[in-house]
Amino acid sequence: MSKPIQFTKEERTAISGRIRDFFARELDQDISQLQAEMVLDFFGGQIGGWFYNRGLADAQAVVAAKAEDIADAIYALQRNQPPLR
C-alpha cells in the first residue's frame, strides 16, 4: 500500500489559503482554515493519486529520453574496426 502524500505545516497553510481564496472569489463563500484543510484532504485523497501518477509518468518520460540521448552519444563514440579474418 502506498504512503499518503504529506505536506509540511507551511505547505498546508499555503494550500489552504489558496482554497479559501478560491471559495471567496469564485463561489462567494467564506470558509475557515479547518474547512479548507478538509477540502484539501478530501480532494487529495480522491484525486491526488492521479496527479501524482501523472507527474511520475512525466518524469519517467524525461528519464527515458535522456537515456536514449546517452545511448546515442555512446554509439557515436564507437570506432570503425577492421573486419575479422
Side-chain angles (χ1 to χ4, degrees), residues 19-81:
I19 292 170
R20 291 179 75 192
D21 290 345
F22 174 81
F23 270 74
R25 185 181 62 253
E26 300 295 330
L27 303 174
D28 199 25
Q29 291 185 15
D30 290 326
I31 63 171
S32 70
Q33 182 71 18
L34 176 60
Q35 289 170 320
E37 288 186 15
M38 289 173 65
V39 169
L40 171 61
D41 291 339
F42 172 77
F43 281 106
Q46 294 298 311
I47 63 173
W50 293 88
F51 284 96
Y52 183 82
N53 290 342
R54 175 59 58 166
L56 288 178
D58 291 348
Q60 187 176 28
V62 168
V63 170
K66 293 297 179 186
E68 188 174 320
D69 291 344
I70 292 169
D72 290 344
I74 291 170
Y75 179 77
L77 294 174
Q78 291 182 346
R79 299 180 183 200
N80 292 332
Q81 300 174 8

